[in-house]
Amino acid sequence: MTHKKATLIGLIAIVLWSAIVGLIRSVSEGFGAVGGAAMIYTLSAVLLLFTVGFPRVRAFPRAYLIIGSVLFVCYELCLSLSLGFANTSTQAIEVGMVNYLWPGMTIVLSVLVNRQKTSLVIIPGVILAVAGICRVLGGSEGFSLSQILANLQSNPLSYGLAFTGAMLWAIYCVVTKKIAQGHNGITLFFILTALTLWVKYLFVPHAPFIITPQVIFSLLLAACAMGLGYAAWNVGILHGNVTVLATASYFIPVLSAVLAAFILGSSLTLTFWQGAAMVSLGSLICWWSTRTAETAKITRQA
């Protein structure tokens, strides 16, 4: 496979992941928050079995098997349920934006845990990303503290799950890189996520499924976006231009909002788009701070 083709496949993964927010919400409107998530991860796990295959679990480091699976499953539960429990489609898009704090969190955690070289540029990057979320939650009033608090109080479960998920994924990205030792447990992790959701589904009250052609179509698209997205990303990371893919991934919040608004038929305010752009730009600045620090280090050594 050529370098350019692998990079293109990696970029396709970014587009697929960007559609997740809108698709999960669309599926939950027919199958419920828990049932819809369980259906998505079940089908995604089946796709991964055919595309990635089932890993040799016995070869996994014990720490990766336990810590990696727990972090992954908990994150996916937070992501899917935060979107499913949102009061409206517009709120689901806002909740999804809170989840996209994870790129900046990942960089900060890498600096703290892995002693990743960085520069002071990371500080305005973090501030800009957080300010972007505040602008999104402020609605048409922008940085209104009262409106932000009102939004959070209207559905603390969804917003809380989204923020918790962002932290968990940042921890997952940093920790598993150190303990995985080159192993990829994505198929196993998806199976565990699906099983956990089905167990939860059996023990919580739920409304009957509302099955329509649109819901079924959204379910199939969501499963493909999840399963094939991870498979495509692995190809891009292994054989493509990692720098291009890393840079492009920081624009997921904006692309995700565009696709979610289209899928869910939601009308978003100008302040929302400004906030989404700030989240993306802030995360990109955080990443760039590590790049400039590495460049400066190389220059000094030269």
Side-chain angles (χ1 to χ4, degrees):
M1 180 177 294
T2 64
H3 192 65
K4 289 183 178 179
K5 185 176 181 180
T7 303
L8 178 60
I9 292 175
L11 291 174
I12 291 173
I14 291 174
V15 176
L16 291 174
W17 283 339
S18 297
I20 287 297
V21 170
L23 291 173
I24 289 179
R25 176 62 188 183
S26 181
V27 173
S28 70
E29 291 177 353
F31 292 105
V34 181
M39 296 283 284
I40 291 171
Y41 285 95
T42 299
L43 292 181
S44 298
V46 173
L47 277 174
L48 285 169
L49 283 171
F50 284 100
T51 56
V52 178
F54 193 80
R56 293 178 56 203
V57 178
R58 291 184 178 180
F60 283 6
R62 186 181 296 271
Y64 175 58
L65 181 60
I66 298 174
I67 299 175
S69 60
V70 170
L71 287 173
F72 186 93
V73 171
C74 289
Y75 165 72
E76 296 296 343
L77 291 178
C78 287
L79 171 63
S80 57
L81 296 182
S82 67
L83 297 172
F85 288 138
N87 295 329
T88 64
S89 296
T90 300
Q91 188 178 77
I93 299 175
E94 292 180 357
V95 166
M97 196 58 57
V98 173
N99 173 72
Y100 287 125
L101 280 171
W102 70 260
M105 288 183 176
T106 302
I107 299 297
V108 173
L109 197 60
S110 294
V111 172
L112 296 176
V113 176
N114 294 340
R115 299 187 180 278
Q116 170 76 47
K117 297 295 183 181
T118 187
S119 67
L120 292 177
V121 177
I122 193 174
I123 297 176
V126 172
I127 294 174
L128 186 60
V130 173
I133 292 298
C134 291
R135 192 157 183 80
V136 166
L137 298 181
S140 58
E141 298 183 25
F143 290 107
S144 169
L145 180 59
S146 60
Q147 186 61 43
I148 292 172
L149 292 176
N151 269 346
L152 294 176
Q153 291 171 356
S154 69
N155 194 344
L157 178 60
S158 281
Y159 288 113
L161 285 172
F163 184 73
T164 302
M167 291 191 295
L168 287 172
W169 192 248
I171 296 171
Y172 174 86
C173 292
V174 173
V175 171
T176 55
K177 185 177 181 180
K178 297 171 68 70
I179 64 177
Q181 297 179 16
H183 294 280
N184 181 8
I186 192 66
T187 303
L188 172 65
F189 295 165
F190 260 77
I191 292 173
L192 292 175
T193 303
L195 290 174
T196 303
L197 285 164
W198 282 119
V199 169
K200 181 175 176 60
Y201 180 80
L202 293 175
F203 290 97
V204 296
H206 48 268
F209 289 166
I210 303 176
I211 303 176
T212 64
Q214 179 182 351
V215 170
I216 295 297
F217 184 61
S218 295
L219 172 61
L220 294 176
L221 286 180
C224 289
M226 281 280 197
L228 298 181
Y230 277 101
W233 183 254
N234 281 340
V235 172
I237 289 297
L238 292 174
H239 307 289
N241 189 318
V242 176
T243 301
V244 170
L245 294 176
T247 304
S249 67
Y250 286 100
F251 293 95
I252 288 180
V254 174
L255 183 57
S256 174
V258 171
L259 293 177
F262 174 76
I263 293 170
L264 300 174
S266 299
S267 178
L268 301 174
T269 64
L270 176 61
T271 54
F272 175 92
W273 293 113
Q274 291 171 342
M278 290 166 67
V279 172
S280 287
L281 182 58
S283 298
L284 186 60
I285 290 173
C286 288
W287 172 77
W288 186 253
S289 71
T290 63
R291 300 285 297 177
T292 54
E294 287 296 327
T295 302
K297 179 181 176 181
I298 294 172
T299 302
R300 287 196 301 268
Q301 291 176 343

